[in-house]
Amino acid sequence: MAEPVRVGVVGLGWWGHRLCQGAADGKALTVVSCYARTPQTRDAFAEELGIRAAASFDELLADADVEAVMLATPHSTHAELIERAAQCGKHVFVEKPLTLTVAEGVRAHQAALDGGIVLQVGHNRRRQPANRRIRQMIDAGELGMVHLLQGSVTVPKDQVPRPGWRSDPSESPVGGMTALAIHLVDTYRYLAGPIERVAVFSKQLWGAGRLDDITVVALEFARGPLGYLGTSIVLPRTHTITVMGTSGIAWSDDDGEHLYVQDKEASSRTLVETEPLDTIADELAEFGRVIREGGRPETGAPEALHAVAVLEAVVESDRRGGGVVDVREFGG
Amino acid sequence: MAEPVRVGVVGLGWWGHRLCQGAADGKALTVVSCYARTPQTRDAFAEELGIRAAASFDELLADADVEAVMLATPHSTHAELIERAAQCGKHVFVEKPLTLTVAEGVRAHQAALDGGIVLQVGHNRRRQPANRRIRQMIDAGELGMVHLLQGSVTVPKDQVPRPGWRSDPSESPVGGMTALAIHLVDTYRYLAGPIERVAVFSKQLWGAGRLDDITVVALEFARGPLGYLGTSIVLPRTHTITVMGTSGIAWSDDDGEHLYVQDKEASSRTLVETEPLDTIADELAEFGRVIREGGRPETGAPEALHAVAVLEAVVESDRRGGGVVDVREFGG
């Protein structure tokens, strides 16, 4: 096994912690440094993990011992931080969405190419064993001609308004779409190819915070199928995808922990056993492997840019009050 | 128990048979006469059930022994047949949709009022025990503030094109919407009130027949929640509704045979036992009871007109290529 890649983590909220856990479990990365704007935050984080705290992002990048960075910072900061890391030759793992606009994402992608670095985006949910198996079923023709993808992802987190950047509409446009349902967009693309058209209804109904708390999107895939995704930040936790084809239907329920299938002749679904997988550890193991061994990550900038284009199209449809928007207008 | 109401059944395809079975099981109706345009069809049907075959709809209506009619004829015929029955003082049970346009539905409704007859529409699916229980949960506040209704209904019937009026686009506009997903529209209204806006993608993808074979609708309820419905006539059989509120989620799966709930703190759903119910027998028992005892049926013309308005709005959105359409434009 190759020597672990030495990484610095930037953005030290709950997700920064989760990434460090995943890095350790994936065994391909060693976290050696961290940075957050607030000195107390980074000092406490560094002490907890027994690592260095950098006094600035530049100091972290200047550290010759750091080969790569993991970014769990506000969405709007991603492009600039990726550019700066790339200029210093540091590889980047960045949380989804890559950026909030395709223009920013293209800048980040170009910077990564220019810097010769690996840029990987944290679209981990497609790695859920149920989603992997559904993709195999589609490729093997077991579902027949895919006609419909339906899914929703909901969390109750914003029933009481949360402090911090995640609750800022400029960081999370269209409510749960930006941070949550972007996972569905990537998994949909993995299963059925690019999304071409969207029509959106999104609003505040619970109204405790500043974000939309309920969103529905009708969509059409370039290959032909239709689809739907729904998301909310004030509803009990769910994460489910249904893929319906002419020969069978498959469900990835409970965030891909449970796979169900129903064939053409059946009238109800059957549970199919799958092995659990820590998708964070899995994606970070890939990040280390690609850095050491070459190749490109499964969800790099090209894949992530499609999700950003869909996000921009959803924002635009919402702005228009629900009209149909073509994702290709945004480069998707 | 009151004497059963003597009915004639009109439209003798598979659904005419199903209604006669439901009438017998509901015990409030006795089928005494039948009519279909094809003499062989009505003669065979009459012989099978041991009832009279009328030589024309007028002859059936002129039969003083017939108190009411059950209509399972093509959708486009409903308004005229209801008017003629009402003019003869015969009560009418008509299959959904009431009509294909609100204008026709209003005519039928007025004729029923003028004739002093009971007009009931076969929106039976809301009667599924799971749907009844979900309504109770909503009314009792157990789901909190309802934010999202999701559902889909699919059948594989048109993978091979079927003969007959059901496969005619003028009788079944927007594919599965007219005959199948109209059930979701009624159940949604039962659970969350009228639908106010729709945005539709619908198309032929399998393309074996003349109907759209895949349809998705994003929608907004007048009371605030958002929703989605999907339907297809070329996919394995499913019928599911999910109602998501801030305090809990309920699923009516397998056409209301299975009820699942998940409360706010849970991370997955739990099966709740319900008693099975023959919803056709149940609605036809109500039809007989209202005729004998007075009152009005749960799904009369006023309720059914909303579903027709939504259908018209869906047809219009599809015609516009997916734009948002306000159901109130159609009187809904």
Side-chain angles (χ1 to χ4, degrees), chain A residues 222-240:
Chain A
R223 291 182 195 161
L226 299 182
Y228 155 75
L229 68 81
T231 187
S232 171
I233 54 176
V234 299
L235 296 176
R237 181 175 297 274
T238 65
H239 188 126
T240 180

Side-chain angles (χ1 to χ4, degrees), chain A residues 98-168:
Chain A
L98 169 59
T99 50
L100 290 168
T101 65
V102 171
E104 289 175 297
V106 167
R107 263 176 48 205
H109 181 36
Q110 190 58 51
L113 293 173
D114 293 346
I117 63 154
V118 173
L119 173 57
Q120 182 174 341
V121 185
H123 287 296
N124 62 303
R125 305 294 181 95
R126 63 160 69 189
R127 295 171 187 264
Q128 289 283 8
N131 295 331
R132 293 296 201 199
R133 180 73 191 95
I134 292 173
R135 169 65 186 266
Q136 290 169 353
M137 294 172 73
I138 293 169
D139 289 348
E142 292 171 37
L143 299 185
M145 182 188 279
V146 172
H147 271 61
L148 179 60
L149 285 85
Q150 304 176 153
S152 55
V153 52
T154 57
V155 295
K157 289 184 179 179
D158 283 58
Q159 285 197 6
V160 176
R162 291 184 294 166
W165 62 267
R166 289 178 192 276
S167 299
D168 179 342

Side-chain angles (χ1 to χ4, degrees), chain B:
Chain B
M1 198 165 172
E3 186 192 353
V5 173
R6 295 178 304 282
V7 302
V9 57
V10 182
L12 305 179
W14 66 280
W15 199 253
H17 279 87
R18 181 68 189 87
L19 288 178
C20 290
Q21 183 62 50
D25 293 339
K27 296 185 167 49
L29 309 178
T30 301
V31 181
V32 297
S33 179
C34 68
Y35 171 69
R37 280 173 303 181
T38 308
Q40 295 90 322
T41 302
R42 62 192 188 232
D43 290 343
F45 194 94
E47 187 174 337
E48 183 188 334
L49 270 72
I51 60 178
R52 296 187 290 283
S56 67
F57 186 55
D58 282 334
E59 183 181 304
L60 186 142
L61 292 178
D63 185 340
D65 188 48
V66 169
E67 300 174 88
V69 295
M70 299 192 297
L71 302 179
T73 56
H75 307 138
S76 65
T77 67
H78 288 177
E80 188 199 330
L81 298 183
I82 293 167
E83 286 180 312
R84 289 165 64 187
Q87 284 157 10
C88 296
K90 310 294 187 187
H91 305 287
V92 177
F93 176 90
V94 62
E95 263 313 318
K96 30 48 61 183
L98 169 59
T99 51
L100 290 169
T101 65
V102 171
E104 289 175 298
V106 167
R107 263 175 50 206
H109 181 35
Q110 190 58 51
L113 293 173
D114 293 345
I117 63 154
V118 173
L119 173 57
Q120 183 174 340
V121 184
H123 287 295
N124 62 303
R125 305 293 181 95
R126 63 160 68 189
R127 295 171 187 265
Q128 290 284 8
N131 295 330
R132 294 297 202 199
R133 180 73 191 95
I134 292 173
R135 169 65 186 266
Q136 290 169 354
M137 293 172 74
I138 293 169
D139 290 348
E142 293 172 37
L143 299 185
M145 182 188 279
V146 172
H147 272 62
L148 179 60
L149 285 85
Q150 303 177 153
S152 55
V153 52
T154 57
V155 295
K157 289 183 179 181
D158 283 58
Q159 285 197 7
V160 177
R162 291 184 294 167
W165 62 267
R166 288 178 192 277
S167 300
D168 179 343
S170 68
E171 292 289 351
S172 298
V174 194
M177 189 66 215
T178 308
L180 283 180
I182 199 89
H183 283 300
L184 292 179
V185 171
D186 178 67
T187 303
Y188 281 3
R189 184 184 196 239
Y190 170 64
L191 296 174
I195 292 166
E196 197 160 275
R197 298 199 303 159
V198 299
V200 179
F201 291 152
S202 185
K203 69 199 296 186
Q204 279 207 327
L205 189 58
W206 183 250
R210 290 186 294 152
L211 305 185
D212 282 1
D213 47 39
I214 182 67
T215 302
V216 297
V217 183
L219 45 89
E220 182 175 20
F221 291 84
R223 290 181 195 162
L226 299 182
Y228 155 75
L229 68 81
T231 187
S232 171
I233 54 176
V234 299
L235 296 175
R237 181 175 296 274
T238 65
H239 188 126
T240 180
I241 292 173
T242 308
V243 181
M244 297 196 179
T246 49
S247 300
I249 302 175
W251 287 260
S252 167
D253 273 7
D254 304 319
D255 199 6
E257 280 181 28
H258 294 110
L259 172 66
Y260 298 86
V261 299
Q262 176 181 333
D263 73 19
K264 194 171 156 182
E265 313 305 329
S267 62
S268 64
R269 67 191 199 172
T270 308
L271 181 67
V272 176
E273 291 295 332
T274 52
E275 289 292 316
L277 177 74
D278 180 339
T279 58
I280 307 295
D282 191 58
E283 67 180 351
L284 292 175
E286 183 196 19
F287 182 55
R289 195 168 57 243
V290 170
I291 291 170
R292 285 283 178 265
E293 301 175 9
R296 57 178 305 280
E298 179 174 345
T299 54
E303 293 75 20
L305 278 168
H306 175 67
V308 177
V310 172
L311 177 60
E312 278 204 271
V314 165
V315 170
E316 176 61 17
S317 175
D318 177 47
R319 199 186 61 75
R320 293 184 198 168
V324 178
V325 174
D326 194 314
V327 175
R328 292 167 297 184
E329 285 180 36
F330 299 91

